[in-house]
Amino acid sequence: ELGNLLKAIKNPFGNLNLIFKFIFSKTSNLFVCPCLKNVDSSLDEVGYKLGKCVKRFSKSVNKLMMKYGKKIVQKEFLQERIAEIIIDLYAVYSIVAKINELIKTKGKQNVSYELDIWKFFSSQAFLRINLNLNGLFKNYDRIRANISDKVIK
């Protein structure tokens, strides 16, 4: 992708379309927040939070890939955080879909117990997601690695 952009920049007027496509692909997520559609209004707030987390995750991974490139495979602590974020995002999304289906079939008043459990779980998941997103850039990975190296020796 960057290689094509570099070639396009050599003849910018002849390749405006390619240049604008690249710019749009890299900046469109700055203006659009992925939100859930067709969910019950009681799920709107969590759907919005989920969309914000997905957007932040996408930008963070893009930033990490720009910083580390192929060397990211050597960053085990970053990979662990990324995996935990993906698991929590998937879990929250899956439960939103399940709760939404329950509301449609049984009615909101008949799933209040499930809604309470789900709200508790999702609030905890969002705390973990944000903690891991923050940890992608501000962490104690070097200290952790040094400690583990010393333990092994």
Side-chain angles (χ1 to χ4, degrees), residues 91-119:
V92 170
Y93 176 79
S94 298
I95 296 170
V96 167
K98 180 66 176 175
I99 294 292
N100 191 54
E101 192 60 32
L102 286 173
I103 290 172
K104 285 180 182 178
T105 57
K106 294 183 177 181
K108 195 182 306 185
Q109 64 280 5
N110 296 322
V111 294
S112 62
Y113 175 71
E114 289 87 348
L115 273 170
D116 288 342
I117 293 171
W118 174 75
K119 285 178 184 177

Side-chain angles (χ1 to χ4, degrees), residues 130-145:
N130 285 311
L131 182 68
N132 281 314
L133 282 168
N134 292 337
L136 291 174
F137 301 101
K138 294 181 182 178
N139 54 57
Y140 297 99
D141 289 353
R142 281 199 187 119
I143 295 170
R144 288 173 66 189

Side-chain angles (χ1 to χ4, degrees), residues 47-61:
Y48 178 75
K49 286 181 183 178
L50 183 62
K52 283 180 63 174
C53 285
V54 167
K55 179 180 173 183
R56 187 172 169 213
F57 175 69
S58 172
K59 288 168 55 176
S60 296
V61 168

Side-chain angles (χ1 to χ4, degrees), residues 11-68:
N11 181 13
F13 295 110
N15 296 302
L16 279 177
N17 190 30
L18 182 63
I19 294 168
F20 283 125
K21 279 183 184 178
F22 177 81
I23 292 170
F24 181 76
S25 73
K26 296 300 178 189
T27 60
S28 64
N29 68 345
L30 298 175
F31 307 106
V32 179
C33 181
C35 298
L36 299 175
K37 299 192 183 338
N38 302 321
V39 295
D40 188 78
S41 61
S42 62
L43 306 175
D44 282 348
E45 182 183 342
V46 176
Y48 178 75
K49 286 181 183 178
L50 183 62
K52 283 180 63 174
C53 285
V54 167
K55 179 180 173 183
R56 187 172 169 213
F57 175 69
S58 172
K59 288 168 55 176
S60 296
V61 168
N62 193 26
K63 192 173 177 181
L64 289 172
M65 292 304 296
M66 296 295 282
K67 181 176 181 178
Y68 295 110

